[in-house]
Amino acid sequence: MQHPGVSIVADDTRSWGLETPGPGLLLHVPAKGRWAQRPAVCLEAAPDYRIRLRCMAQPLLWTRIDAYWDRAVFLRGTWPFPWLLPRLSAPEVRAVEAPSGSEAWWEDWSWRLARALVECPLPVLHAGHWCLRPVRAIPAEKAERHPISPMEWGFGQPPMPPHSLDAVERYLPAWKEDWWENAPGQRPGAVLGLRAPSHPEDGRVKSWRKRARDGTLPPVLLLYVDILAKWLVLDGHDRLCAALLEGVEPPLLGLWPFIDPKRPWNSVREEGALFSADFQLRTGATPETVDRVNRMLLLNFTPDPRGTVSRAWPLPGGREAWREEVTARRHKSGGFPLDDLEWAWLT
């Protein structure tokens, strides 16, 4: 299907390495017109792994990642209303008549949200290829640890399964993550909300709670950002909170940009992957280790694999602008749970 220059077709990917409960779509976005511009919601980068997420001119998140990928520090902006799709109305929800969770139900919602992404006046899409597909959350304890070897990770891998959905209820203004220690809630695939949760007695939350109890809750839209190894809640904060309050599994629709580069055969890469697999399995073949080794072998032996790479644009002003923004954010509001050394490293 063609829609304002964007081609939308069924996802024919053999495997994303995820549990996907329904069919997905591929969105092929041309490099012309509005799609050739920097989107309203985008990542921006400065030297030394300084990453800023912004919506229009408003910063939503600053992140700095250690050069060895051992730790990261996160700082939120002050804008309370990030980019949102148009709010779903009751008639729109009722218009999806297929049984909740069925293939037809997922297909209907995927098409509706795909069209909303294309038509949104504040786009998150940019030129390139995107996948929109149902995903299912896993327990945090089953999430893979952060990689420690280039045989285990590289740009262009499939997204990690989402986990730690309840983290959206803990809206911290700033925090640090030790990726070497690999606390379960900080492992790749953790879900991050982009705004503070609404009060449980908020009218919209109460309405979605009824839908959650009835099993008719529309899916929550998540965006995977591979450099942060996190899923960001793009749309459906209240729906996700409603599902958590009711103790039900929320339906999740994942969105990620992807590439499918041609990769020639490489004996050194494949021999290195086999050596790494043998070494890891000899130290203890736990289910988590076996899953990690299988993922690594697929990564290194699959010809022309599809994977996700998040695009970032240069941060205007570079490192100096970053330092000024972060310093101003610290002075504007107190009570951040970071010490002076962490602030010094972040800036």
Side-chain angles (χ1 to χ4, degrees), residues 166-236:
D166 58 347
V168 300
E169 298 177 318
R170 301 186 296 275
Y171 190 78
L172 299 175
W175 70 98
K176 61 179 179 178
E177 294 188 0
D178 190 334
W179 290 355
W180 178 260
E181 292 295 333
N182 285 291
Q186 299 176 3
R187 291 174 183 170
V191 172
L192 177 65
L194 293 181
R195 67 166 176 83
S198 302
H199 192 277
E201 294 302 314
D202 179 87
R204 195 159 181 84
V205 175
K206 293 172 72 173
S207 175
W208 289 132
R209 290 184 69 172
K210 184 179 185 301
R211 288 282 180 184
R213 291 193 298 270
D214 295 343
T216 59
L217 190 69
V220 177
L221 181 62
L222 305 178
L223 170 68
Y224 189 73
V225 179
D226 66 319
I227 195 169
L228 303 181
K230 294 187 185 298
W231 293 91
L232 309 182
V233 181
L234 280 184
D235 185 69

Coordinates of all heavy atoms in Angstrom, one line a residue, residues 166-236:
D166 N 7.1 -2.0 34.5 CA 6.7 -1.3 35.7 C 7.7 -0.1 36.0 O 7.4 0.7 36.8 CB 6.6 -2.2 36.9 CG 7.9 -2.9 37.2 OD1 8.8 -2.9 36.4 OD2 8.0 -3.4 38.3
A167 N 8.8 0.0 35.2 CA 9.7 1.1 35.4 C 9.0 2.4 35.1 O 9.5 3.5 35.5 CB 11.0 0.9 34.6
V168 N 8.0 2.4 34.2 CA 7.3 3.7 33.9 C 6.7 4.3 35.1 O 6.4 5.6 35.0 CB 6.3 3.5 32.7 CG1 7.0 2.9 31.5 CG2 5.2 2.6 33.2
E169 N 6.4 3.6 36.1 CA 5.8 4.1 37.3 C 6.8 4.8 38.2 O 6.5 5.5 39.2 CB 5.1 3.0 38.1 CG 3.9 2.4 37.3 CD 3.2 1.3 38.0 OE1 3.9 0.5 38.7 OE2 2.0 1.2 38.0
R170 N 8.1 4.6 38.0 CA 9.2 5.2 38.8 C 9.9 6.3 37.9 O 10.9 6.0 37.2 CB 10.2 4.1 39.2 CG 9.6 3.0 40.0 CD 10.6 2.1 40.6 NE 11.3 1.3 39.5 CZ 10.9 0.2 38.9 NH1 9.8 -0.3 39.3 NH2 11.6 -0.4 38.0
Y171 N 9.3 7.4 37.9 CA 9.7 8.5 37.0 C 10.8 9.3 37.7 O 10.6 10.3 38.4 CB 8.5 9.4 36.7 CG 8.8 10.4 35.6 CD1 8.9 10.0 34.2 CD2 9.1 11.7 35.8 CE1 9.1 10.9 33.2 CE2 9.3 12.6 34.8 CZ 9.3 12.2 33.5 OH 9.6 13.1 32.5
L172 N 12.1 8.9 37.6 CA 13.2 9.6 38.2 C 13.7 10.7 37.3 O 13.8 10.6 36.1 CB 14.4 8.6 38.4 CG 14.1 7.4 39.3 CD1 15.3 6.4 39.3 CD2 13.7 7.9 40.7
P173 N 14.1 11.9 37.9 CA 14.6 13.0 37.1 C 16.0 12.7 36.5 O 16.4 13.2 35.5 CB 14.6 14.1 38.0 CG 14.7 13.5 39.4 CD 14.0 12.2 39.3
A174 N 16.7 11.8 37.2 CA 18.1 11.5 36.8 C 18.5 10.2 37.5 O 18.0 9.9 38.6 CB 19.1 12.6 37.2
W175 N 19.3 9.4 36.8 CA 19.8 8.1 37.4 C 21.0 7.7 36.6 O 21.3 8.1 35.6 CB 18.7 7.1 37.4 CG 18.3 6.6 36.0 CD1 18.7 5.4 35.4 CD2 17.4 7.2 35.0 NE1 18.2 5.3 34.2 CE2 17.4 6.3 33.9 CE3 16.7 8.4 35.0 CZ2 16.6 6.6 32.8 CZ3 16.0 8.7 33.9 CH2 15.9 7.8 32.8
K176 N 21.7 6.7 37.3 CA 22.9 6.1 36.7 C 22.6 4.6 36.5 O 21.9 4.0 37.3 CB 24.1 6.4 37.5 CG 24.1 5.8 38.9 CD 25.3 6.0 39.7 CE 25.2 5.5 41.1 NZ 26.5 5.7 41.9
E177 N 23.3 4.0 35.5 CA 23.2 2.6 35.3 C 24.6 2.0 35.2 O 25.4 2.5 34.4 CB 22.4 2.3 34.0 CG 20.9 2.7 34.2 CD 20.1 2.3 33.0 OE1 20.6 1.6 32.1 OE2 18.9 2.5 33.0
D178 N 24.8 0.9 35.9 CA 26.1 0.2 35.8 C 25.9 -1.0 34.9 O 25.3 -2.0 35.3 CB 26.6 -0.2 37.2 CG 28.0 -0.8 37.2 OD1 28.4 -1.3 36.1 OD2 28.6 -0.7 38.2
W179 N 26.3 -0.9 33.6 CA 26.1 -1.9 32.7 C 27.0 -3.1 32.8 O 26.8 -4.2 32.2 CB 26.2 -1.4 31.2 CG 25.0 -0.5 30.9 CD1 23.9 -0.2 31.7 CD2 24.8 0.3 29.7 NE1 23.1 0.7 31.1 CE2 23.6 1.0 29.9 CE3 25.6 0.5 28.6 CZ2 23.1 1.9 28.9 CZ3 25.1 1.4 27.6 CH2 23.9 2.0 27.7
W180 N 28.0 -2.9 33.6 CA 28.9 -4.0 33.9 C 28.3 -5.0 34.9 O 28.4 -6.2 34.8 CB 30.3 -3.5 34.4 CG 31.2 -4.6 34.8 CD1 31.5 -5.1 36.0 CD2 32.0 -5.4 33.9 NE1 32.5 -6.1 36.0 CE2 32.8 -6.3 34.6 CE3 32.2 -5.4 32.5 CZ2 33.7 -7.2 34.1 CZ3 33.1 -6.3 31.9 CH2 33.8 -7.2 32.7
E181 N 27.6 -4.4 35.9 CA 27.0 -5.3 37.0 C 25.7 -5.9 36.4 O 25.3 -7.0 36.9 CB 26.7 -4.4 38.2 CG 27.9 -3.9 38.9 CD 28.7 -5.0 39.6 OE1 28.1 -6.1 39.9 OE2 29.9 -4.9 39.7
N182 N 25.1 -5.3 35.5 CA 23.9 -5.9 34.8 C 22.8 -6.2 35.8 O 22.3 -7.3 35.9 CB 24.3 -7.2 34.1 CG 25.1 -6.9 32.8 OD1 24.5 -6.4 31.8 ND2 26.3 -7.2 32.8
A183 N 22.3 -5.2 36.5 CA 21.1 -5.4 37.3 C 20.0 -5.7 36.3 O 19.9 -5.1 35.2 CB 20.8 -4.1 38.1
P184 N 19.0 -6.6 36.7 CA 18.0 -7.0 35.7 C 17.2 -5.9 35.1 O 17.0 -5.9 33.9 CB 17.1 -7.9 36.6 CG 18.0 -8.5 37.6 CD 19.0 -7.4 37.9
G185 N 16.9 -4.9 35.9 CA 16.1 -3.8 35.3 C 16.8 -2.8 34.4 O 16.2 -2.0 33.8
Q186 N 18.2 -3.0 34.3 CA 19.0 -2.2 33.5 C 19.5 -2.9 32.2 O 20.3 -2.4 31.5 CB 20.2 -1.6 34.3 CG 19.7 -0.7 35.4 CD 20.9 -0.2 36.3 OE1 22.0 -0.5 36.0 NE2 20.6 0.5 37.3
R187 N 19.1 -4.2 32.1 CA 19.6 -5.0 31.0 C 19.0 -4.5 29.6 O 17.9 -3.8 29.6 CB 19.3 -6.5 31.2 CG 20.1 -7.0 32.3 CD 19.7 -8.5 32.6 NE 20.4 -9.0 33.8 CZ 20.1 -10.1 34.4 NH1 19.1 -10.9 34.0 NH2 20.9 -10.6 35.4
P188 N 19.6 -4.8 28.5 CA 19.0 -4.4 27.2 C 17.6 -4.8 27.1 O 17.2 -6.0 27.3 CB 20.0 -5.1 26.2 CG 21.2 -5.3 26.9 CD 20.9 -5.6 28.4
G189 N 16.8 -3.9 26.6 CA 15.3 -4.2 26.4 C 14.5 -3.5 27.4 O 13.2 -3.6 27.3
A190 N 15.0 -2.9 28.5 CA 14.2 -2.2 29.5 C 13.4 -1.1 28.8 O 13.7 -0.5 27.9 CB 15.1 -1.6 30.6
V191 N 12.2 -0.9 29.4 CA 11.2 0.1 28.9 C 11.3 1.4 29.7 O 11.4 1.3 30.9 CB 9.8 -0.5 29.0 CG1 8.7 0.6 28.6 CG2 9.6 -1.7 28.1
L192 N 11.3 2.5 28.9 CA 11.5 3.8 29.5 C 10.3 4.7 29.1 O 10.1 4.9 27.9 CB 12.8 4.4 29.1 CG 13.1 5.8 29.6 CD1 13.3 5.8 31.1 CD2 14.4 6.3 29.0
G193 N 9.6 5.2 30.1 CA 8.5 6.2 29.8 C 9.1 7.5 29.5 O 10.2 7.9 30.1
L194 N 8.5 8.3 28.7 CA 9.0 9.7 28.3 C 8.2 10.8 29.1 O 8.5 12.0 28.8 CB 8.8 9.9 26.8 CG 9.8 9.0 26.0 CD1 9.6 9.3 24.5 CD2 11.2 9.1 26.4
R195 N 7.3 10.4 29.9 CA 6.6 11.4 30.7 C 6.2 10.8 32.1 O 6.2 9.6 32.2 CB 5.4 12.0 30.0 CG 4.3 11.1 29.8 CD 3.0 11.9 29.4 NE 1.9 11.1 29.1 CZ 1.0 10.6 30.0 NH1 1.2 10.7 31.3 NH2 -0.1 9.9 29.6
A196 N 5.9 11.7 33.0 CA 5.5 11.2 34.3 C 4.1 10.5 34.2 O 3.3 10.9 33.4 CB 5.4 12.3 35.3
P197 N 3.9 9.4 34.9 CA 2.6 8.7 34.9 C 1.5 9.5 35.4 O 1.7 10.3 36.3 CB 2.9 7.4 35.7 CG 4.0 7.8 36.7 CD 4.8 8.8 35.9
S198 N 0.3 9.4 34.8 CA -0.9 10.0 35.3 C -1.3 9.4 36.6 O -1.0 8.3 37.0 CB -2.0 9.9 34.3 OG -1.6 10.4 33.0
H199 N -2.1 10.2 37.4 CA -2.6 9.7 38.7 C -3.6 8.5 38.4 O -4.3 8.5 37.4 CB -3.3 10.8 39.4 CG -3.6 10.5 40.8 ND1 -4.7 9.8 41.2 CD2 -2.9 10.8 42.0 CE1 -4.7 9.6 42.5 NE2 -3.7 10.3 43.0
P200 N -3.5 7.5 39.3 CA -4.4 6.3 39.1 C -5.9 6.7 39.0 O -6.7 6.0 38.4 CB -4.1 5.5 40.3 CG -2.7 5.8 40.7 CD -2.6 7.3 40.4
E201 N -6.3 7.9 39.6 CA -7.7 8.3 39.5 C -8.0 9.2 38.4 O -9.1 9.7 38.3 CB -8.0 9.0 40.9 CG -8.0 8.1 42.1 CD -8.9 6.9 41.9 OE1 -10.1 7.1 41.5 OE2 -8.5 5.7 42.2
D202 N -7.0 9.5 37.5 CA -7.3 10.2 36.3 C -8.3 9.6 35.5 O -8.4 8.3 35.3 CB -6.0 10.4 35.5 CG -6.1 11.2 34.3 OD1 -6.0 12.4 34.3 OD2 -6.4 10.5 33.2
G203 N -9.2 10.4 34.9 CA -10.4 9.8 34.2 C -9.9 8.9 33.0 O -10.6 7.9 32.8
R204 N -8.9 9.3 32.3 CA -8.5 8.5 31.2 C -7.9 7.2 31.6 O -8.1 6.1 31.0 CB -7.5 9.3 30.3 CG -7.3 8.7 28.9 CD -6.7 9.7 28.0 NE -6.5 9.1 26.6 CZ -7.5 9.0 25.7 NH1 -8.7 9.4 26.0 NH2 -7.2 8.5 24.5
V205 N -7.1 7.2 32.7 CA -6.5 6.0 33.2 C -7.7 5.0 33.7 O -7.6 3.8 33.4 CB -5.6 6.3 34.4 CG1 -5.1 5.0 35.1 CG2 -4.4 7.1 33.9
K206 N -8.7 5.6 34.4 CA -9.8 4.7 34.8 C -10.5 4.1 33.6 O -11.0 3.0 33.7 CB -10.7 5.6 35.7 CG -10.1 6.0 37.0 CD -11.0 7.0 37.8 CE -12.2 6.3 38.3 NZ -12.9 7.3 39.2
S207 N -10.7 4.9 32.6 CA -11.3 4.4 31.4 C -10.5 3.2 30.8 O -11.1 2.2 30.4 CB -11.5 5.5 30.3 OG -12.1 5.0 29.1
W208 N -9.2 3.4 30.7 CA -8.4 2.3 30.1 C -8.3 1.1 31.1 O -8.2 0.0 30.6 CB -7.0 2.8 29.9 CG -6.8 3.8 28.7 CD1 -6.2 5.0 28.7 CD2 -7.3 3.6 27.4 NE1 -6.2 5.6 27.5 CE2 -6.9 4.8 26.6 CE3 -8.1 2.6 26.7 CZ2 -7.3 4.9 25.3 CZ3 -8.4 2.8 25.4 CH2 -8.0 3.9 24.7
R209 N -8.5 1.3 32.4 CA -8.5 0.2 33.3 C -9.7 -0.7 33.0 O -9.5 -1.9 33.1 CB -8.5 0.7 34.7 CG -7.2 1.4 35.2 CD -7.2 1.7 36.7 NE -7.2 0.6 37.5 CZ -7.1 0.6 38.8 NH1 -7.0 1.8 39.4 NH2 -7.1 -0.5 39.6
K210 N -10.8 -0.1 32.7 CA -11.9 -0.9 32.3 C -11.7 -1.7 31.1 O -12.0 -2.9 31.0 CB -13.2 -0.1 32.1 CG -14.5 -0.8 31.8 CD -15.6 0.1 31.7 CE -16.9 -0.7 31.5 NZ -16.9 -1.6 30.4
R211 N -11.0 -1.1 30.1 CA -10.6 -1.8 28.9 C -9.7 -3.0 29.2 O -9.7 -4.1 28.6 CB -10.0 -0.9 27.9 CG -11.0 0.1 27.2 CD -11.7 -0.6 26.1 NE -12.7 0.3 25.5 CZ -13.5 -0.1 24.5 NH1 -13.5 -1.3 24.1 NH2 -14.4 0.8 24.0
A212 N -8.7 -2.7 30.1 CA -7.8 -3.7 30.5 C -8.5 -4.9 31.1 O -8.2 -6.1 30.8 CB -6.7 -3.2 31.4
R213 N -9.5 -4.7 32.0 CA -10.2 -5.8 32.6 C -11.0 -6.5 31.5 O -11.2 -7.7 31.6 CB -11.2 -5.2 33.7 CG -10.4 -4.7 34.9 CD -11.4 -4.4 36.0 NE -12.4 -3.4 35.7 CZ -12.3 -2.1 35.9 NH1 -11.1 -1.7 36.5 NH2 -13.3 -1.3 35.7
D214 N -11.6 -5.8 30.5 CA -12.4 -6.5 29.5 C -11.6 -7.2 28.4 O -12.1 -7.9 27.6 CB -13.3 -5.4 28.8 CG -14.3 -4.8 29.8 OD1 -14.5 -5.4 30.8 OD2 -14.8 -3.7 29.5
G215 N -10.2 -6.9 28.5 CA -9.4 -7.5 27.4 C -9.5 -6.8 26.1 O -9.2 -7.4 25.0
T216 N -9.9 -5.5 26.1 CA -10.0 -4.8 24.8 C -9.1 -3.6 24.8 O -9.3 -2.6 24.1 CB -11.4 -4.3 24.7 OG1 -11.8 -3.5 25.8 CG2 -12.4 -5.5 24.5
L217 N -8.0 -3.6 25.6 CA -7.0 -2.5 25.6 C -6.2 -2.4 24.3 O -5.6 -3.4 23.9 CB -6.1 -2.7 26.8 CG -5.2 -1.5 27.2 CD1 -6.0 -0.4 27.8 CD2 -4.1 -1.9 28.2
P218 N -6.2 -1.2 23.7 CA -5.4 -1.1 22.5 C -3.9 -1.2 22.8 O -3.5 -1.0 23.9 CB -5.7 0.4 22.0 CG -7.0 0.7 22.6 CD -7.0 0.0 23.9
P219 N -3.1 -1.5 21.8 CA -1.7 -1.7 22.1 C -0.9 -0.4 22.4 O -1.3 0.7 22.0 CB -1.1 -2.3 20.8 CG -2.1 -1.9 19.7 CD -3.4 -1.8 20.4
V220 N 0.1 -0.6 23.2 CA 1.0 0.5 23.6 C 2.1 0.5 22.5 O 2.7 -0.5 22.1 CB 1.6 0.3 25.0 CG1 2.7 1.4 25.3 CG2 0.5 0.2 26.0
L221 N 2.5 1.7 22.0 CA 3.5 1.8 21.0 C 4.9 2.1 21.6 O 5.0 3.1 22.3 CB 3.1 2.9 20.0 CG 4.1 3.2 18.9 CD1 4.2 2.0 18.0 CD2 3.6 4.4 18.0
L222 N 5.8 1.2 21.3 CA 7.2 1.4 21.8 C 8.2 1.6 20.7 O 8.0 1.0 19.6 CB 7.6 0.1 22.6 CG 6.7 -0.4 23.8 CD1 7.3 -1.6 24.3 CD2 6.6 0.7 24.8
L223 N 9.2 2.4 20.9 CA 10.2 2.6 19.9 C 11.5 2.1 20.5 O 11.9 2.4 21.6 CB 10.4 4.1 19.6 CG 11.6 4.5 18.8 CD1 11.5 4.0 17.4 CD2 11.9 6.0 18.8
Y224 N 12.2 1.2 19.7 CA 13.5 0.7 20.2 C 14.7 1.6 19.8 O 14.8 1.9 18.6 CB 13.7 -0.7 19.7 CG 14.9 -1.4 20.3 CD1 14.9 -1.9 21.6 CD2 16.1 -1.6 19.6 CE1 15.9 -2.5 22.2 CE2 17.2 -2.2 20.2 CZ 17.1 -2.7 21.5 OH 18.2 -3.3 22.1
V225 N 15.5 1.9 20.7 CA 16.7 2.8 20.5 C 17.9 1.9 20.8 O 18.2 1.7 22.0 CB 16.7 4.1 21.3 CG1 17.9 4.9 21.0 CG2 15.4 4.9 20.9
D226 N 18.6 1.4 19.8 CA 19.6 0.4 20.0 C 20.8 1.0 20.8 O 21.4 0.3 21.6 CB 20.1 -0.2 18.7 CG 20.8 0.8 17.8 OD1 20.4 1.9 17.7 OD2 21.8 0.4 17.2
I227 N 21.2 2.2 20.6 CA 22.4 2.8 21.3 C 22.1 2.9 22.8 O 23.0 2.8 23.6 CB 22.9 4.1 20.7 CG1 24.3 4.4 21.2 CG2 21.9 5.2 21.1 CD1 24.9 5.6 20.5
L228 N 20.9 3.0 23.2 CA 20.5 3.1 24.6 C 20.1 1.7 25.1 O 19.9 1.5 26.3 CB 19.3 4.0 24.9 CG 19.5 5.5 24.4 CD1 18.3 6.3 24.8 CD2 20.8 6.1 25.1
A229 N 19.8 0.8 24.1 CA 19.3 -0.6 24.5 C 18.0 -0.5 25.3 O 17.9 -1.3 26.2 CB 20.4 -1.4 25.2
K230 N 17.2 0.4 24.9 CA 15.9 0.6 25.6 C 14.7 0.7 24.6 O 14.9 1.2 23.5 CB 16.0 1.8 26.5 CG 16.9 1.6 27.7 CD 16.8 2.8 28.6 CE 17.9 2.7 29.7 NZ 17.8 1.5 30.5
W231 N 13.5 0.4 25.1 CA 12.3 0.7 24.4 C 11.7 2.0 25.0 O 11.5 2.1 26.2 CB 11.3 -0.4 24.6 CG 11.7 -1.7 23.9 CD1 12.4 -2.7 24.4 CD2 11.3 -2.1 22.6 NE1 12.5 -3.8 23.5 CE2 11.9 -3.4 22.3 CE3 10.6 -1.5 21.5 CZ2 11.7 -4.1 21.1 CZ3 10.5 -2.2 20.3 CH2 11.0 -3.5 20.1
L232 N 11.4 3.0 24.2 CA 10.8 4.2 24.7 C 9.3 4.2 24.4 O 8.9 3.8 23.3 CB 11.4 5.4 24.0 CG 12.9 5.5 23.9 CD1 13.3 6.8 23.2 CD2 13.5 5.5 25.4
V233 N 8.5 4.6 25.4 CA 7.0 4.6 25.2 C 6.7 5.8 24.4 O 6.7 7.0 24.9 CB 6.3 4.6 26.6 CG1 4.8 4.7 26.3 CG2 6.7 3.4 27.4
L234 N 6.3 5.6 23.1 CA 5.9 6.7 22.3 C 4.5 7.1 22.4 O 4.1 8.3 22.4 CB 6.2 6.4 20.8 CG 7.6 6.5 20.3 CD1 7.7 6.1 18.8 CD2 8.2 7.8 20.5
D235 N 3.6 6.1 22.6 CA 2.2 6.4 22.7 C 1.6 5.3 23.6 O 1.8 4.1 23.4 CB 1.5 6.4 21.4 CG 0.1 6.8 21.4 OD1 -0.2 8.0 21.8 OD2 -0.8 5.9 21.3
G236 N 0.8 5.7 24.6 CA 0.1 4.8 25.4 C 0.6 4.7 26.8 O 0.4 3.7 27.5

